[in-house]
Amino acid sequence: MAKGFVSAAFFLVIYLAIFVPHFASTTVPAIFVLGDSTADVGTNSMLPESLARADFPFYGIDFPNSRPTGRFSNGFNSADFLAKLVGFKRSPQPFLYLSSLKSGLRRRMFRGVNFASAASGLLDITGKTEKIVPLPEQIAQLASVISNRTAVMGQAATQAMLSESLFCISIGSNDIFGYFLTNSTVPPEQYIGTLISSYEGHLKTIYNLGARKFGIISVPPIGCCPSQRLYNATGGCFEPANAFARAFHSALDTLLTKICSELPGLKYSLGNTYEMTVNVIENPSPFNFTNVEAACCGSGRLNGEQPCTPKADLCSNRNEYLFWDLYHPTHAASKLAALTLYGGGPRFVTPINFAQLAA
Ligand SMILES: *[C@@H]1O[C@H](CO)[C@@H](O)[C@H](O)[C@H]1NC(C)=O
Ligand SMILES: *[C@@H]1O[C@H](CO)[C@@H](O)[C@H](O)[C@H]1NC(C)=O
Ligand SMILES: *[C@@H]1O[C@H](CO)[C@@H](O)[C@H](O)[C@H]1NC(C)=O
Ligand SMILES: *[C@@H]1O[C@H](CO)[C@@H](O)[C@H](O)[C@H]1NC(C)=O
């Protein structure tokens, strides 16, 4: 009798663990993530021809079981930490993975999907040669998830779920890298204008699909990442790229204020990752960083001349580095960024933080 009770309770626990994972503790019904390598949790690993990938060591060395997952990090990335802060275990899985599952398991998409693909940008040409999922295609995938959900749950329930869900978007850095790589002669103001009008179109499309809560992550000081410091003889940040990042943030801030007044019910948080990162670079010790210039994994000057591979040099004190590889933050830096986006004040996230957006 007692034994029967125990095993019934046991099965109930298993049942709940499988079918309603973490439901009670989440503040939003689902989380949808779009963007580039700062949020990719394995999309590009599902693309055999993609050149922008992180599915080999030393990527993932601090992930559970030291497993490379396609994240451009030694462990988790900011999409994981943000999802965790709103009550999930980590980022939802990549669309390409979830859509490869048997139809019953695709119900997992109802708790969220990550569409982010490394090397993508706001412009269609950004990342094209790397064989990735461009942003318009990420949005088309989102539309297909929504139409399937609508077929199962009906229009009203689906729209209600979407209006409460968090839509995180982290994109723009690769477009700016592309400007410098191609030695573009387009005037910077005009280039930023093109990026922002593309962003406007994409945000409106996502809004029209039913999204209302937008967590927007701006471009960090990309001139300070190890690969860009190589363009500065002193090893300082490459100022022209940083000037672009600042101009991008300011134009994005203006755009969001505008569309917020045009689109009823839209709420957003704009994370100023430029300000957050410069704040750490200028005064690293309170954050327990001892190296904010070099990559932990890589080779050459500042470990920024070559990508992170199994043959690269690897630092031992990974928690003390801001940069994991020549472009990307460490697990520790991503965690700090997510905590600041979630709970930070108006210097770092405006007009409300991600916690207020999710509530
Ligand atoms: C949507 O449903 C169709 C038909 O059931 C299925 O073939 C397709 O793979 C589904 N798409 C997604 C994104 O789950
Ligand atoms: C851009 O300019 C640099 C330095 O002048 C040169 O090495 C590089 O090949 C140029 N790139 C392109 C795509 O023209
Ligand atoms: C190089 O870095 C220094 C700071 O160390 C900065 O003053 C200078 O503007 C930078 N130069 C370029 C070309 O980015
Ligand atoms: C820095 O390290 C100290 C000592 O290990 C710890 O108490 C503190 O919480 C750390 N600070 C941050 C911001 O992680």
Side-chain angles (χ1 to χ4, degrees), residues 15-71:
Y15 179 88
L16 290 174
I18 293 172
F19 292 99
V20 282
H22 313 101
F23 187 80
S25 58
T26 61
T27 53
V28 294
I31 176 164
F32 298 94
V33 183
L34 299 110
D36 59 25
S37 57
T38 53
D40 188 332
V41 292
T43 299
N44 287 11
S45 309
M46 303 284 296
L47 300 169
E49 298 195 339
S50 179
L51 302 176
R53 54 199 317 136
D55 51 356
F56 45 80
F58 295 113
Y59 289 101
I61 188 169
D62 297 312
F63 198 83
N65 304 315
S66 293
R67 188 164 61 92
T69 59
R71 287 168 174 82

Side-chain angles (χ1 to χ4, degrees), residues 95 98-101 103 106-107 109-110 113 115 140-149 151-152:
F95 170 82
L98 292 169
S99 58
S100 73
L101 298 174
S103 55
R106 286 202 202 114
R107 292 180 66 84
M109 285 190 179
F110 295 180
V113 183
F115 305 91
Q141 293 171 340
L142 169 66
S144 85
V145 170
I146 293 174
S147 84
N148 276 24
R149 166 103 205 213
V152 177

